Amino acid sequence: MMAISMHKRFSKIINSPLNYPILFFILIILIGSMVLYFCPNKSAMPRSYTDSIFTATSAACVTGLSVVDIGTSFDFWGQLTILCLMQMGGLGIMTFTSLSLYLWRQKTTITDRIAVGQVLLHDPKFNLGTFLVEIFSWTFIIEAVGALSLYWASPKPFSPFSAVFHSVSAFCNGGFSLFQDNLQAWKGDWGVNAVFMALIIIGGIGFSVFIEYKTYLSHRLTHWKSDVKPRLSWYSKMVMKTTIFLILFGGAMLFISEFIGYDRMMAIDDAFLTALFQSVTCRTAGFNTLDIGSMTNVSLLFLLLLMFIGGAPGSCAGGIKVTTFRVLLASIESELKGQKQPRIGKFAISNNTVKKAMTLFVISIVIIFLAVFLLDFTEGGDMPHYQIRGQFLEILFEAVSAFCTVGLSTGLTAKLSVTGKWIIILLMFIGRIGPLFIIHTLQSIEEVKYYKLPEEHVMIG
């Protein structure tokens, strides 16, 4: 009986719809890596298959880490391949979360509901086909507007292809740039920075939230005289409030730690813009207008926190997600205040949601710790600490950036050993789809118990 029960659980995991995104990403990564491997190499430095699959994984998982300079190493066809991988990766993420959402709305099995994650769409008339068409249409519209805006704002460096490439990279939160110094040349350009920040934020709030706000603003503008006012859902307001808070808080902290505690001889408006841009991009996109390797340790710690949180569910962003962060804060607040239920706004959070948030948080910490542990072995594990002082922070930063699919680096990526590169490849892949799959697996094999064991108190602290 036990063998039959285990076989049923295993079959349930294997046949789960959550496996489809895994197979999708593996397929496009393998195809993309072969195409990149056989693309002509413009650089004098040789490009191995490891470098090619590293780049393909980073592009498909919309991370942005790269062991080679894609602007000088790959020709036009190689760069076009990276563009296509980012586009398919970004659309794939939104499409699969939308398919899961459809299953959740149809009140199907618990396996399918888990696949939905925390993505919510408050529309009882939901139609899968219409929603998917809307995803593709709005994605291309937003990216087209972004490309035109970049070309108009800075036509010489942003050629038509370069404008399209960076627009797709920003909206899909890919973080890849064709320029050697990323976006450092535009650190004081308000127009270019505004375009990138808008694309990154829209791509990181989740498609359902974007559609809801679009409908809300459209109704308010076209029916402003009407007595019937549309209302935003509790979920969408929570996502936007948390996102805005993180952007402003992160920008303020980076401004203080980078430009007040450390004199960079930069004009105050440029310093403010740079801090704000880095706060927006570090949670998900991976672009930078500052040299990350030259930032203060305080700034790097704040970047680590923001990268770990990431963007919203159902978006191209990585991290544990802003909803998980908000649920954990509400849970801690309720414990400190002695409240029985954690609350966000007018609603209480279910115990099941709190457990999922805590599980995701702990699993993410464990995965990052294991990756740092292995990278410490591969990247100088045979050397004394005084010879590699400061490398631990660089490795931790690299691991968090890879797992949370951000793409920022202090400069360690290109220096990684072959084994280190494969660890980061695996970390990027796990960070894109792993935590949710692990939660799904654990809950799939969980037995339903119709009894409770006697409880006992344990001294804590």
Side-chain angles (χ1 to χ4, degrees):
M1 291 294 292
M2 182 177 293
I4 295 174
S5 176
M6 290 299 295
H7 176 73
K8 287 182 178 179
R9 293 177 201 167
F10 183 75
S11 299
K12 190 176 182 182
I13 296 171
I14 295 298
N15 298 322
S16 167
L18 198 62
N19 289 327
Y20 301 153
I22 296 176
L23 297 175
F24 169 80
F25 278 103
I26 290 176
L27 182 63
I28 64 171
I29 287 171
L30 291 177
I31 294 174
S33 66
M34 293 303 295
V35 174
L36 292 176
Y37 181 66
F38 289 108
C39 278
N41 190 356
K42 293 169 56 180
S43 173
M45 297 295 293
R47 188 172 66 236
S48 64
Y49 180 72
T50 297
D51 295 340
S52 299
I53 197 170
F54 188 104
T55 307
T57 304
S58 185
C61 296
V62 289
T63 303
L65 289 174
S66 182
V67 290
V68 297
D69 178 21
I70 65 171
T72 57
S73 178
F74 294 100
D75 64 357
F76 169 78
W77 297 107
Q79 294 170 6
L80 182 62
T81 301
I82 294 172
L83 171 64
C84 292
L85 288 171
M86 286 191 296
Q87 187 72 88
M88 287 189 291
L91 284 172
I93 295 163
M94 291 187 289
T95 299
F96 282 118
T97 52
S98 302
L99 287 170
S100 300
L101 177 60
Y102 175 72
L103 295 172
W104 182 77
R105 294 296 299 178
Q106 296 300 310
K107 307 295 183 183
T108 52
T109 64
I110 185 62
T111 300
D112 295 327
R113 293 185 198 177
I114 294 168
V116 177
Q118 301 298 321
V119 188
L120 301 176
L121 182 70
H122 306 275
D123 184 5
K125 298 179 181 179
F126 176 73
N127 179 275
L128 177 62
T130 303
F131 188 61
L132 293 180
V133 169
E134 207 166 13
I135 287 178
F136 281 74
S137 300
W138 276 106
T139 295
F140 293 130
I141 289 172
I142 293 169
E143 289 173 350
V145 172
L148 290 172
S149 300
L150 286 176
Y151 183 73
W152 174 79
S154 193
K156 187 174 181 180
F158 287 105
S159 64
F161 175 75
S162 177
V164 171
F165 184 96
H166 286 88
S167 180
V168 172
S169 183
F171 177 73
C172 293
N173 291 185
F176 277 103
S177 175
L178 299 178
F179 307 113
Q180 283 187 311
D181 60 352
N182 208 274
L183 301 179
Q184 294 183 45
W186 291 273
K187 61 183 177 183
D189 191 315
W190 283 83
V192 172
N193 278 256
V195 174
F196 273 98
M197 286 191 289
L199 289 169
I200 292 168
I201 292 171
I202 294 172
I205 60 174
F207 200 78
S208 61
V209 175
F210 167 74
I211 291 296
E212 190 171 334
Y213 269 89
K214 176 191 72 69
T215 305
Y216 172 80
L217 293 174
S218 176
H219 189 279
R220 290 299 298 265
L221 291 173
T222 56
H223 300 82
W224 58 277
K225 291 184 178 181
S226 175
D227 294 332
V228 180
K229 303 295 183 184
R231 291 186 178 182
L232 292 168
S233 67
W234 167 81
Y235 171 79
S236 292
K237 288 191 287 188
M238 176 185 65
V239 168
M240 286 303 298
K241 286 180 179 179
T242 308
T243 299
I244 293 171
F245 167 77
L246 289 172
I247 290 173
L248 297 179
F249 173 77
M253 292 298 102
L254 290 174
F255 180 81
I256 293 172
S257 62
E258 199 64 22
F259 300 106
I260 294 181
Y262 178 67
D263 185 12
R264 287 187 176 272
M265 301 298 291
M266 187 181 294
I268 189 69
D269 56 336
D270 289 348
F272 172 78
L273 177 61
T274 303
L276 184 64
F277 180 87
Q278 214 56 60
S279 177
V280 170
T281 187
C282 73
R283 285 193 306 111
T284 172
F287 290 106
N288 60 283
T289 54
L290 284 177
D291 179 13
I292 303 299
S294 65
M295 296 181 74
T296 65
N297 282 344
V298 177
S299 297
L300 294 179
L301 286 174
F302 275 111
L303 292 182
L304 280 171
L305 173 63
L306 294 173
M307 288 194 302
F308 184 70
I309 295 172
S315 71
C316 299
I320 63 172
K321 303 296 185 294
V322 294
T323 48
T324 304
F325 169 72
R326 188 65 186 88
V327 168
L328 291 175
L329 279 186
S331 179
I332 294 172
E333 182 184 5
S334 67
E335 286 293 328
L336 294 176
K337 293 182 177 179
Q339 298 173 343
K340 292 184 178 180
Q341 291 180 301
R343 293 175 53 185
I344 299 177
K346 298 180 180 180
F347 294 93
I349 308 300
S350 67
N351 288 331
N352 190 40
T353 300
V354 174
K355 288 179 181 178
K356 285 183 180 180
M358 185 59 68
T359 302
L360 179 58
F361 174 79
V362 173
I363 289 176
S364 300
I365 292 292
V366 170
I367 292 173
I368 291 172
F369 173 81
L370 290 175
V372 171
F373 180 77
L374 293 174
L375 287 170
D376 276 329
F377 266 108
T378 64
E379 312 307 310
D382 57 341
M383 299 175 66
H385 170 69
Y386 69 86
Q387 291 186 9
I388 53 174
R389 196 180 303 275
Q391 185 170 280
F392 174 77
L393 179 58
E394 293 181 347
I395 289 176
L396 176 61
F397 195 92
E398 194 83 9
V400 173
S401 180
F403 177 76
C404 298
T405 66
V406 177
L408 293 177
S409 175
T410 56
L412 181 64
T413 312
K415 304 174 185 176
L416 290 170
S417 64
V418 174
T419 307
K421 290 176 183 178
W422 280 100
I423 293 173
I424 295 297
I425 289 171
L426 184 61
L427 199 56
M428 289 189 290
F429 186 80
I430 292 174
R432 182 71 276 166
I433 56 177
L436 186 60
F437 177 77
I438 294 172
I439 292 176
H440 156 68
T441 302
L442 292 175
Q443 297 193 17
S444 295
I445 64 177
E446 182 181 3
E447 292 184 27
V448 178
K449 293 182 173 63
Y450 299 95
Y451 60 89
K452 287 186 176 181
L453 296 173
E455 294 181 352
E456 189 61 79
H457 293 289
V458 177
M459 184 179 296
I460 301 296

